[in-house]
Amino acid sequence: MNFWSTMQEMLSPDDAGKSAPAPDAGRAGPAIKPLPEDALIIIPLRNAVLFPGIMSPVTIGRPSSVAAAQEAARSERRVGFLLQRDPQKNDLTPDDLHWVGTAGQVVRYITGTEGAHHLVIQGQSRFRVLEFLNGWPFMVARVSLVEIAEETSPEIEARFIQLKERAIEAIQLLPNVPAELAGVVQTLSAPTLLADMVANLLDLKNEEKQEILETFAIKQRLDRVLGLLGERVEVLRLSKEIGDKTRKEFDERQREHVLREQMRQIQKELGEGGETAAEIEELKAAIDEAGMPEDVHKHAAKELKRLQRMGEGSAESSMLRTYLEWLSELPWKAEPRKPIDLSEARQVLDEDHYSLEKIKRRILEYLAVRKLNPDGKSPILCFVGPPGVGKTSLGQSIARATGRKFQRVALGGTHDEAEIRGHRRTYIGALPGTIIQAIKRAESRTGVLLLDEIDKLGAGGFHGDPSSALLEVLDPEQNSKFRDNYLGVDFDLSKMLFIATANLLDTIPGPLRDRMEVIQLPGYTEEEKLEIARRYLVKRQLEANGLKEEQVILTDAAVRAIIGDYTREAGVRNLEREIGAVMRSAAMKIAGGQAAIVNVDAADLHAILGPRKFEDELALRTALPGVATGLAWTPVGGDILFIEATKVPGSGKLILTGQLGDVMKESAQAALTLAKMYSGDSLEKTDLHVHVPAGATPKDGPSAGVAMFLALASLLAGKPVRSDVAMTGEISLRGLVLPIGGVKEKVLAALRAGIKTVMLPRRNQKDLEDVPAAAREKLEFVWLETVEDAVRCAIGGEPAQLFSRDKQEDTQAGRVFQ
Ligand SMILES: Nc1ncnc2c1ncn2[C@@H]1O[C@H](COP(=O)(O)OP(=O)(O)O)[C@@H](O)[C@H]1O
Ligand SMILES: [Mg+2]
């Protein structure tokens, strides 16, 4: 366990002797194309594993790593650090790397001598690589961040305390670890951080460190680190005993002197030290020019004085400097806004999005109100709808339409209030929360801030409720004095334009929902999707794959086939993905010289995208009696679901399986009672089994009533339900069909699934006007007043005859099981 020597090892240039471009070479080249949102710039590390919460110096030399670091520093993007499997290898392919690493920030970038570049990097969170992407002068990968909730349980707590004690013991035994470290460990309160920090300190092989990095579960990770630390402490004790005897002459002071000398060397290498005075001058100028309110400026000046007194080199001074940099770099000044031009805004909205007429009008109204009363307290717009319908991109469009800077804060999985409001400065590795970070990225406090997926906000737990922090952000009464824990001073958010998005309204905490004006985006019809593909998606995917418009001809029939056979969604996200796959295959052909122009028609899709994904499911599933196609409202628009009924010998029980809420169970019971009544069979020797597959939400329970009844009726009559009919409706015990919600989503889902006839409660007839005309024209609607209407349409024939004629067959069918 040799802390400083490990650091020095990392410092020794990993590519000594190899040439690297000058630091600004990247800028001279062609502009770098933007990275996808979920992608990270990757810097491979030869012989170091970076842990979250750890700051560490590294030296890079490979031209691609240098380009990566420069791009990261320029765009202030996070970087993913991955350990390479063989430290000797220079030219890397994805397989040469471990696919789990740590995302973090390049905190400092220093150009060294002889082509080596020194970085100080700060690890933030674990991630897993999904795939590597091509097209950049450095490695880029799509990743998913591994969010590790800071859970507590007695088991974890016990291990945590034990690890802390052992770590402090180890630190005291160590000949060359700074004594302050024990104090730092003592104050740590997060088990994950402690485990990572100790793993970082232990002189383990990189492979062992990697293994700990890949142990996501906190309990297992604590165990593993405890085990390794235990071994180490034993060895240390022994060697200390021996050392005490044989090396008594080793003077404590001398040791400290050597350590300090080493530290100075490191700082010199990093280009730190010596420049402190100039740096403080610079910082002072930045603070003076930042346009801070008076009290904040006073506070900053005071902290700057403290920094000056502190002198260089200590951990605290670097923390304080980072803090002051944050303060000075925030956009305190409110830039003058040019007034909103409504006709220009309309034009931008039309340029960016096809259709969505009602929604655009609503946005323009909103902007008009803002124009008339710029400082008024307008509500927060919230776009609600399934994935891929354009919620996020509408937000971007609004920013463009109003000439504001755009930033997005992804709220999905935010469990901790501190993620929004920041950690106190005393906390190691503390940073401002996501709101302040976004404001800094936006370089504006009058821009558009998109609070994306606000419905995925985690419930408040151990560390406070994130929704209460958001509430404060959105509250016009409070947000002019928003206080981030890290900043510790007020920041005025009142001129920010907030927009929220959500898949589902239900899961947005009530008080938040009350602040917002909801705009629903239900999803697109096939025609709309075709237009969106033609006007936007195809172009974008051509461009993304470096193709010219004339090089690939994608026919409308092909796009329709992708919509119908390869995607089943309310939005256009998968559609865009599949079009991307088509373009990639075309690009391969053109690049390989097999063709100059690629023509893609519906018939070619099989070879490119594989077998159709949603083929003839309807006909297959409903071929036997006992299956009815229901329509359900789901968080992602609507969907069809197959409700299945079967019977087995028994004692008249109703067995229900699948995704059923209480309401749905009641309605299954009602359906059974009705079915018994119509069939005239008391079913005393039969158990009926109704299965409702996953996908329907419990809230939507009663609307499956008609479908459950039909499934049972079809089973008892021994006749299948028509495969091209889908239905929704609640039933009463007297056989009346009662109205339901979500007509538009359900109808669109039916159309997507290839249904021809939709049966709806008569009392929902008025809701049909919400359904786009193009969709209405393609479907036949049958309005139900009673369940008998449903039987007539979907099974055929008069209910009374149906059952009496088939009674015989029915009992025979039952015999199969005896
Ligand atoms: N009406 C539309 N016109 C043009 N493009 C659209 C439209 N609706 C969605 N898109 C595109 O589809 C993609 C997915 O949209 P996105 O905003 O990410 O969806 P959401 O945030 O609702 O999940 C984006 O590239 C977006 O530009
Ligand atoms: Mg989105």
Side-chain angles (χ1 to χ4, degrees):
M1 187 141 67
N2 188 332
F3 182 55
W4 290 113
S5 71
T6 314
M7 279 184 75
Q8 286 207 309
E9 219 171 273
M10 289 193 225
L11 274 170
S12 61
D14 65 353
D15 302 72
K18 266 208 255 94
S19 66
D24 53 356
R27 260 164 251 170
I32 285 176
K33 74 174 172 180
L35 265 63
E37 239 166 37
D38 59 348
L40 286 179
I41 298 170
I42 298 292
I43 295 184
L45 298 178
R46 274 181 205 273
N47 52 13
V49 174
L50 178 67
F51 282 97
I54 301 296
M55 203 182 258
S56 170
V58 291
T59 300
I60 54 169
R62 269 182 280 234
S64 60
S65 295
V66 172
Q70 282 167 355
E71 175 60 13
R74 191 190 62 72
S75 62
E76 292 187 10
R77 275 190 80 103
R78 295 218 286 181
V79 175
F81 297 96
L82 294 175
L83 176 67
Q84 66 184 69
R85 291 179 191 276
D86 173 4
Q88 306 303 335
K89 196 149 178 184
N90 286 326
D91 296 324
L92 302 178
T93 65
D95 285 340
D96 295 321
L97 295 168
H98 288 274
W99 281 37
V100 170
T102 297
Q105 222 98 38
V106 174
V107 190
R108 235 141 225 269
Y109 186 123
I110 301 125
T111 311
T113 47
E114 292 161 21
H117 297 243
H118 306 294
L119 309 180
V120 178
I121 58 181
Q122 157 97 55
Q124 286 163 344
S125 58
R126 287 171 161 77
F127 70 87
R128 188 193 286 287
V129 171
L130 301 175
E131 62 171 332
F132 279 88
L133 305 176
N134 291 324
W136 285 270
F138 36 79
M139 294 185 117
V140 169
R142 279 188 50 238
V143 306
S144 83
L145 292 181
V146 179
E147 306 287 0
I148 296 165
E150 201 67 89
E151 49 176 314
T152 44
S153 68
E155 287 171 307
I156 291 176
E157 189 68 10
R159 287 170 172 79
F160 174 56
I161 291 169
Q162 205 187 354
L163 182 58
K164 205 182 236 188
E165 280 171 7
R166 290 237 130 177
I168 290 169
E169 188 184 346
I171 288 166
Q172 282 156 355
L173 283 170
L174 279 170
N176 45 8
V177 160
E180 299 93 340
L181 205 58
V184 171
V185 167
Q186 187 65 54
T187 57
L188 279 182
S189 63
T192 49
L193 196 58
L194 178 69
D196 286 348
M197 191 156 160
V198 173
N200 181 58
L201 279 178
L202 289 169
D203 57 340
L204 302 174
K205 291 200 200 75
N206 282 322
E207 294 300 325
E208 287 176 307
K209 288 194 176 179
Q210 179 69 25
E211 205 183 310
I212 292 172
L213 190 70
E214 291 181 11
T215 307
F216 298 151
I218 182 59
K219 194 169 121 222
Q220 279 76 337
R221 196 182 327 151
L222 285 168
D223 276 342
R224 178 119 191 87
V225 176
L226 258 173
L228 289 164
L229 182 62
E231 284 170 24
R232 244 8 94 118
V233 169
E234 280 319 304
V235 174
L236 279 170
R237 273 215 200 93
L238 273 177
S239 73
K240 187 166 188 297
E241 268 173 38
I242 300 166
D244 280 352
K245 283 182 198 138
T246 56
R247 284 182 284 135
K248 270 198 187 111
E249 71 277 17
F250 195 86
D251 179 9
E252 272 294 306
R253 283 209 186 139
Q254 199 178 351
R255 185 171 70 78
E256 210 176 295
H257 173 76
V258 172
L259 272 176
R260 296 236 172 271
E261 195 50 49
Q262 276 180 340
M263 191 144 95
R264 239 188 297 282
Q265 289 292 335
I266 291 171
Q267 281 170 341
K268 221 160 103 193
E269 188 122 13
L270 288 173
E272 284 175 351
E275 294 172 326
T276 322
E279 259 182 34
I280 289 204
E281 262 328 291
E282 232 171 79
L283 204 49
K284 181 170 183 332
I287 289 170
D288 291 344
E289 279 158 28
M292 299 170 182
E294 209 181 306
D295 53 334
V296 178
H297 185 257
K298 240 190 222 153
H299 164 78
K302 210 169 105 205
E303 292 290 274
L304 187 70
K305 283 233 174 70
R306 210 156 68 79
L307 175 65
Q308 226 162 349
R309 278 201 304 272
M310 215 176 270
E312 57 185 290
S314 74
E316 202 189 342
S317 78
S318 98
M319 262 153 72
L320 187 51
R321 181 177 318 144
T322 312
Y323 171 70
L324 286 169
E325 277 165 8
W326 264 98
L327 274 189
S328 68
E329 284 164 17
L330 280 179
W332 297 96
K333 298 175 203 161
E335 66 240 56
R337 289 246 77 85
K338 85 173 172 60
I340 295 169
D341 178 337
L342 287 177
S343 68
E344 212 177 287
R346 168 92 232 184
Q347 202 182 332
V348 171
L349 291 179
D350 282 341
E351 265 168 35
D352 291 351
H353 292 93
Y354 174 74
S355 167
L356 299 177
E357 198 38 50
K358 237 167 142 178
I359 284 136
K360 288 180 191 160
R361 220 175 316 131
R362 192 55 209 91
I363 293 173
L364 286 170
E365 279 166 26
Y366 173 82
L367 293 179
V369 173
R370 273 212 84 109
K371 179 183 164 82
L372 293 178
N373 187 6
D375 297 318
K377 315 218 174 301
S378 46
I380 286 110
L381 289 183
C382 179
F383 296 123
V384 176
V389 291
K391 300 180 298 296
T392 306
S393 77
L394 272 173
Q396 265 164 324
S397 206
I398 292 178
R400 201 162 84 81
T402 54
R404 288 161 178 257
K405 303 241 174 76
F406 176 83
Q407 274 302 326
R408 167 178 171 269
V409 174
L411 293 172
T414 305
H415 287 286
D416 194 338
E417 186 183 357
E419 287 174 55
I420 290 174
R421 209 198 280 277
H423 284 288
R424 269 178 220 294
R425 250 200 295 158
T426 45
Y427 201 87
I428 295 223
L431 277 178
T434 45
I435 300 288
I436 288 294
Q437 296 204 20
I439 301 261
K440 181 179 164 211
R441 283 199 305 274
E443 298 176 344
S444 163
R445 66 178 177 89
T446 58
V448 171
L449 192 63
L450 186 82
L451 304 169
D452 218 1
E453 312 203 319
I454 201 164
D455 55 332
K456 306 249 169 65
L457 208 59
F462 192 59
H463 292 281
D465 185 355
S467 73
S468 72
L470 256 197
L471 213 54
E472 196 183 313
V473 169
L474 298 178
D475 184 356
E477 306 289 331
Q478 298 183 56
N479 69 8
S480 62
K481 290 187 184 327
F482 175 69
R483 190 166 278 227
D484 180 280
N485 288 329
Y486 179 79
L487 293 186
V489 293
D490 293 342
F491 191 87
D492 183 0
L493 294 177
S494 62
K495 299 222 158 39
M496 218 54 202
L497 205 162
F498 292 100
I499 298 173
T501 80
N503 284 159
L504 253 181
L505 258 186
D506 291 25
T507 51
I508 305 178
L512 265 182
R513 200 169 33 192
D514 293 345
R515 288 268 142 73
M516 299 187 298
E517 174 158 343
V518 170
I519 299 184
Q520 300 266 7
L521 288 95
Y524 299 112
T525 62
E526 186 187 319
E527 290 309 311
E528 286 173 323
K529 287 184 188 176
L530 179 66
E531 277 310 311
I532 293 173
R534 252 201 270 191
R535 292 170 197 227
Y536 300 90
L537 310 182
V538 171
K539 277 201 195 99
R540 204 147 51 199
Q541 289 304 322
L542 277 168
E543 216 168 275
N545 289 286
L547 294 162
K548 291 199 196 67
E549 212 159 316
E550 59 276 10
Q551 285 177 305
V552 184
I553 298 160
L554 183 63
T555 64
D556 282 0
V559 177
R560 274 184 207 280
I562 297 177
I563 294 170
D565 298 339
Y566 290 92
T567 64
R568 201 166 85 192
E569 57 176 351
V572 292
R573 193 167 286 176
N574 294 328
L575 175 59
E576 179 160 12
R577 190 172 308 150
E578 299 292 341
I579 291 176
V582 170
M583 294 303 170
R584 274 199 298 284
S585 104
M588 285 281 284
K589 276 197 193 132
I590 291 170
Q594 287 150 269
I597 294 177
V598 178
N599 202 329
V600 183
D601 203 355
D604 305 318
L605 291 177
H606 185 96
I608 303 172
L609 301 177
R612 290 151 64 176
K613 292 181 188 144
F614 296 102
E615 190 177 21
D616 304 330
E617 194 186 2
L618 282 175
L620 278 175
R621 294 287 296 266
T622 55
L624 291 175
V627 184
T629 310
L631 291 172
W633 179 91
T634 71
V636 293
D639 204 354
I640 59 167
L641 79 172
F642 298 104
I643 293 186
E644 297 168 330
T646 50
K647 56 181 177 181
V648 286
S651 54
K653 283 197 298 288
L654 174 63
I655 304 161
L656 295 169
T657 55
Q659 280 250 315
L660 293 103
D662 283 344
V663 187
M664 211 185 252
K665 286 183 191 150
E666 279 167 27
S667 100
Q669 197 66 55
L672 176 62
T673 306
L674 273 174
K676 277 187 193 169
M677 210 173 81
Y678 278 101
S679 68
D681 188 339
S682 63
L683 299 169
E684 270 159 11
K685 297 219 167 67
T686 320
D687 283 346
L688 288 176
H689 182 168
V690 176
H691 179 75
V692 180
T697 58
K699 167 178 171 281
D700 198 41
S703 76
V706 175
M708 289 203 246
F709 167 78
L710 271 184
L712 287 166
S714 146
L715 177 77
L716 297 179
K719 288 187 91 184
V721 178
R722 261 170 62 193
S723 67
D724 58 349
V725 179
M727 64 220 64
T728 174
E730 187 177 346
I731 48 175
S732 80
L733 271 177
R734 287 165 47 223
L736 295 179
V737 176
L738 309 175
I740 43 75
V743 168
K744 176 171 181 183
E745 287 83 358
K746 289 175 178 174
V747 169
L748 291 181
L751 189 63
R752 277 201 296 281
I755 294 286
K756 300 276 176 333
T757 305
V758 177
M759 304 197 297
L760 294 167
R762 166 76 72 198
R763 278 161 64 190
N764 280 112
Q765 210 164 359
K766 60 176 187 333
D767 298 324
L768 201 61
E769 63 188 53
D770 294 343
V771 179
R776 254 181 297 170
E777 282 158 18
K778 290 221 173 110
L779 290 166
E780 189 198 340
F781 293 91
V782 172
W783 302 103
L784 308 177
E785 277 172 17
T786 69
V787 291
E788 295 186 8
D789 299 334
V791 172
R792 279 185 204 105
C793 164
I795 302 181
E798 279 305 310
Q801 286 166 8
L802 192 68
F803 289 105
S804 61
R805 180 165 48 81
D806 285 343
K807 200 79 165 271
Q808 215 99 49
E809 276 175 44
D810 191 35
T811 39
Q812 276 162 10
R815 215 163 279 144
V816 176
F817 299 99
Q818 283 165 9

